[in-house]
Every structure is written in structure tokens, then in C-alpha cells.
Amino acid sequence: MWVLYSFLNAFFDSAKSAFGKRASKLVDPYSSAWASRVMAAPVFLPAALLIDGPFAGNGTFWAATAGAAAINTVATILFMTALRDAPLSLTLQLTQLTPVFLLVTSPIMTG
């Protein structure tokens, strides 16, 4: 089943980038980044509030969540700007290095 999910993820990620490239001619990167975060908030915020784990009530959890949201918003703005200014064949190679980067950094972060 995971093979199907990986193919679907690749397809939808490519479709997202292709539609983002087309939309970048009509909408500025700031509006695109804002829309992607605001549209996801009604789904993820209630789910985060329903978490009943050891870190859910901790202020550190919410500070880390806010920090990650800020960093990801900046990354989305930069990605949308790159989609607007460069061809897809050059822009998407940057995002394809993420799994390789995680292979190196994950063991360092987890100890």
C-alpha cells in the first residue's frame, strides 16, 4: 500500500508545483504563501488542539509549532518566488534533495 501512497505523493506534489507555476503569473508569492497556510489552518489547528500527549499542554510545544510555521511560511514564499522566476526543471531539483538532507540530519538530531 505504501508504494501507491508514494506514487500519489509524487503525482500530487508535481501537480502542486505545476499549478503554482501557472498561478505565479497571476498572484504574487506572498498571497500564495498566505493562502496555503490559511487554507490548511482550519484542518490542522483543531487537530493540534485535540492532541492528548505529553507535550500538548506544554508551552514549548506551541512555541516550536509557531516557529516551524514561521520558517515554513518564509520557505513557501521563497519557493513560490523561485517558481515564478525559474523553469520548473531547475526549481524542483531543490525540493528533491530534501530526503537526502534528512538522511544526514535525522540521525544527528535524534542522537
Side-chain angles (χ1 to χ4, degrees):
M1 190 68 173
W2 61 269
V3 175
L4 175 65
Y5 290 147
S6 64
F7 282 120
L8 287 173
N9 181 40
F11 172 76
F12 286 119
D13 191 43
S14 298
K16 177 189 72 135
S17 297
F19 286 124
K21 175 76 172 174
R22 178 180 262 175
S24 69
K25 295 175 182 162
L26 305 173
V27 181
D28 64 315
Y30 299 103
S31 299
S32 254
W34 178 82
S36 68
R37 298 295 174 231
V38 168
M39 296 298 174
V43 175
F44 290 118
L45 192 58
L49 293 173
L50 293 175
I51 292 174
D52 188 30
F55 302 113
N58 192 348
T60 307
F61 170 78
W62 292 107
T65 301
I71 289 172
N72 285 329
T73 301
V74 171
T76 303
I77 290 169
L78 293 174
F79 181 68
M80 292 297 173
T81 303
L83 277 179
R84 181 190 65 199
D85 296 340
L88 279 177
S89 61
L90 296 176
T91 308
L92 294 183
Q93 291 176 6
L94 298 172
T95 61
Q96 300 307 318
L97 288 175
T98 302
V100 175
F101 180 70
L102 289 175
L103 283 174
V104 174
T105 59
S106 293
I108 295 169
M109 287 189 283
T110 58

